[in-house]
Amino acid sequence: MNGASPRFWAGPLRYCRWAARERPSLFWAVFIGSCGPVTLATVPPIRRYFGDFDAAPIPMTYPVPTGPRKTLTEYGDETE
């Protein structure tokens, strides 16, 4: 065997086998990174199928009470 690395486009499967042996950290980094877009397309429908729905959105404002406001007379510390 010669020491030259195989070219990817000439034989993708052969290159992947070579990269898994000779450069495992780069091979697995690319493999795990390429799983990200796949999970974006497949996980949400699977979650909905099993009944896990998205949570309600967080309110961006505080609801204002509808009745009259209480007038404060002291600080509310009734410890005396």
Side-chain angles (χ1 to χ4, degrees), residues 38-52:
V38 174
T39 58
L40 285 175
T42 58
V43 169
I46 293 170
R47 282 182 54 216
R48 281 189 223 100
Y49 175 76
F50 286 113
D52 183 25

Side-chain angles (χ1 to χ4, degrees), residues 12-69:
L13 293 177
R14 182 177 174 207
Y15 181 82
C16 289
R17 284 192 312 231
W18 174 84
R21 282 191 314 266
E22 299 295 326
R23 297 181 178 178
S25 59
L26 294 176
F27 173 77
W28 288 110
V30 170
F31 178 77
I32 292 170
S34 64
C35 291
V38 174
T39 58
L40 285 175
T42 58
V43 169
I46 293 170
R47 282 182 54 216
R48 281 189 223 100
Y49 175 76
F50 286 113
D52 183 25
F53 295 102
D54 293 335
I58 298 172
M60 294 295 165
T61 60
Y62 186 78
V64 179
T66 55
R69 296 180 181 235

